[in-house]
């Protein structure tokens, strides 16, 4: 059974930093591109960032580019999101999700964000 | 960025009804379209990928169709557990973008 468990959320002051973690189990973590998606409580979903496994490429939403850094430790089956210069607009529930299965030098095109964690709440407030 | 316009934003229906939600992409996304269901306080759940492929374990009452710029999600024989918010997502190119969501409520 695929499981994704996020942690690291909490209350942080504007301008502060936070590091989110997502521990994966039930699948071969190293073969999956992984993503972070966020949701302001009561609002819609917003993709934040992705890490493509086979070539190490990273992608970011314009709203977080230059402030957030996605990384992973395949030896620990863990995905990270380092968040710096946080503002009130970053207050949200942050979900990690499996993006795509990748093998060799390419990723399967069809499946996308099949599995999600339960989310961790980040609140930016003074 | 590719914009996804989802309609309606809310929908009232009764148990046993059949409903359809639509998503329009601002440019051709082929079949790079997924549908998700989200219940209050829970993470989104994948229903459909590649526009029309049913995710493993998802009941056949959910079906997706479309390609290019026009897509739809149909839910037949609504049951109480189907009342939730539904989102479409395009993943043809970065950044992947979600529709605004459709809140399906009991009439």
């Amino acid at each position: 059974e695929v499981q994704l468990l996020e942690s690291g959320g909490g209350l942080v002051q504007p301008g502060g930093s936070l590091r989110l973690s997502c521990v994966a189990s039930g699948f071969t973590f190293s073969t999956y591109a992984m993503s972070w998606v966020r949701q302001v409580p009561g609002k819609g979903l917003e993709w934040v960032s992705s890490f493509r496994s086979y070539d190490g490429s990273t992608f970011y939403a314009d709203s977080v580019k230059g402030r957030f850094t996605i990384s992973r430790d395949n030896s620990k089956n863990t995905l990270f999101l380092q968040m710096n210069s946080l503002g009130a607009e970053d207050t949200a529930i942050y979900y990690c999700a499996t993006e795509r299965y990748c093998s060799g030098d390419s990723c399967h095109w069809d499946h996308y964000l099949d599995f999600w964690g339960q989310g961790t709440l980040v609140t930016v407030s003074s | 960025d590719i914009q996804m316009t989802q309609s309606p934003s809310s929908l009232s229906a009764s148990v046993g009804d059949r409903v359809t939600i639509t998503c329009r992409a601002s440019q051709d996304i082929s079949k790079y379209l997924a549908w998700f269901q989200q219940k209050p306080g829970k993470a989104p759940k994948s229903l459909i990928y590649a526009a029309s492929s049913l995710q493993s374990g998802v009941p056949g009452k959910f079906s997706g169709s479309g390609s290019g710029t026009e897509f739809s999600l149909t839910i037949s024989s609504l049951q109480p557990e189907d009342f939730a918010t539904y989102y479409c997502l395009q993943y043809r190119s970065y950044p992947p973008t979600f529709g605004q969501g459709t809140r399906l409520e009991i009439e």
Side-chain angles (χ1 to χ4, degrees):
Chain A
E1 179 192 5
V2 172
Q3 290 193 348
L4 299 168
L5 185 62
E6 302 96 336
S7 62
L11 176 64
V12 61
Q13 291 191 339
S17 298
L18 215 53
R19 189 193 198 201
L20 305 184
S21 299
C22 170
V23 178
S25 60
F27 65 103
T28 306
F29 179 73
S30 61
T31 62
Y32 275 80
M34 297 293 294
S35 293
W36 289 98
V37 176
R38 69 184 180 183
Q39 183 175 38
V40 174
K43 302 297 183 182
L45 298 165
E46 180 190 18
W47 170 81
V48 173
S49 181
S50 294
F51 194 119
R52 200 161 62 187
S53 52
Y54 72 87
D55 64 357
S57 294
T58 57
F59 305 87
Y60 298 94
D62 286 345
S63 57
V64 307
K65 200 173 294 181
R67 300 187 299 121
F68 289 12
T69 302
I70 190 172
S71 62
R72 62 194 292 163
D73 184 342
N74 287 341
S75 69
K76 296 182 179 178
N77 290 349
T78 303
L79 180 72
F80 302 101
L81 187 67
Q82 177 67 43
M83 305 185 297
N84 299 331
S85 302
L86 286 163
E89 68 278 10
D90 298 312
T91 293
I93 300 167
Y94 285 75
Y95 298 100
C96 74
T98 58
E99 186 179 274
R100 281 176 162 136
Y101 173 73
C102 301
S103 62
D105 61 355
S106 65
C107 296
H108 290 201
W109 77 271
D110 49 1
H111 285 267
Y112 202 81
L113 300 184
D114 282 359
F115 299 102
W116 298 59
Q118 85 292 343
T120 187
L121 177 62
V122 172
T123 303
V124 184
S125 175
S126 55
Chain B
D1 298 359
I2 298 174
Q3 308 302 317
M4 300 302 295
T5 303
Q6 187 173 340
S7 61
S9 56
S10 64
L11 179 59
S12 293
S14 300
V15 171
D17 284 355
R18 171 182 163 127
V19 298
T20 297
I21 301 166
T22 63
C23 253
R24 175 176 296 170
S26 61
Q27 62 189 73
D28 188 342
I29 59 169
S30 184
K31 295 177 76 70
Y32 290 78
L33 192 285
W35 290 97
F36 300 88
Q37 176 193 65
Q38 187 177 33
K39 296 181 179 179
K42 299 295 186 181
K45 173 187 174 183
S46 175
L47 299 175
I48 301 285
Y49 63 94
S52 58
S53 296
L54 195 64
Q55 192 65 261
S56 177
V58 173
K61 63 191 303 180
F62 294 94
S63 63
S65 65
S67 66
T69 61
E70 299 283 339
F71 301 87
S72 64
L73 172 71
T74 298
I75 313 168
S76 61
S77 187
L78 281 171
Q79 296 302 306
E81 61 269 22
D82 300 327
F83 292 92
T85 300
Y86 293 85
Y87 295 93
C88 64
L89 165 74
Q90 73 78 22
Y91 52 99
R92 179 62 183 87
S93 63
Y94 286 106
T97 44
F98 290 89
Q100 306 95 313
T102 295
R103 185 174 179 178
L104 178 57
E105 300 174 314
I106 298 178
E107 194 164 47

